[in-house]
Amino acid sequence: MIQLHTSAPIDDEARITLKTAFGQAIAAVPGKSEQWLMCLFDDEVPMYFAGDDSKPCAYLEIDVYATSEVPATAWEKLTERLTPEVSDTLGIDPARIYIRYGSTAHFGWNGTNF
């Protein structure tokens, strides 16, 4: 699951661009692919960064199902791939983008848990 919360507007073209980029980037996590990826886009959210809402900012949350520790290098690769995509597509300064990573061995799908 990749959730993007941003104060910037996201038009249809930008949403497709980001969805495609997220689908490619998730492969940085061992065993993950676009086949199981869900993306959530939450735009034009009132957001402050360092007490300032005069410029757009973004917060990404990446949550994956994993029964073992996800290597830190996977998260680093995702940051390297996701930051420029969000920055370039939405015109957000990379210094105003936060990304949070998490994994869990408890994930529900199709009425049951993995």
Side-chain angles (χ1 to χ4, degrees):
M1 175 74 177
I2 298 179
Q3 299 180 52
L4 170 60
H5 309 276
T6 181
S7 57
I10 305 175
D11 63 25
D12 291 342
E13 183 179 339
R15 187 175 296 109
I16 296 301
T17 297
L18 291 168
K19 185 266 318 171
T20 300
F22 293 175
Q24 293 169 352
I26 199 65
V29 179
K32 302 302 172 197
S33 70
E34 186 176 26
Q35 179 182 358
W36 289 96
L37 180 63
M38 182 179 283
C39 298
L40 181 146
F41 297 95
D42 191 16
D43 66 339
E44 298 187 273
V45 176
M47 296 177 77
Y48 292 81
F49 185 84
D52 176 23
D53 70 345
S54 67
K55 296 177 236 162
C57 55
Y59 176 67
L60 288 96
E61 295 179 81
I62 292 82
D63 296 301
V64 299
Y65 168 72
T67 56
S68 61
E69 185 74 23
V70 175
T73 55
W75 300 140
E76 291 166 11
K77 287 178 187 174
L78 274 172
T79 297
E80 291 170 1
R81 293 176 185 177
L82 297 175
T83 300
E85 288 293 342
V86 172
S87 178
D88 294 346
T89 303
L90 300 179
I92 300 174
D93 182 340
R96 295 181 62 85
I97 299 172
Y98 271 167
I99 305 174
R100 184 190 65 80
Y101 296 102
S103 62
T104 181
H106 308 283
F107 221 97
W109 170 74
N110 197 24
T112 189
N113 289 349
F114 287 111

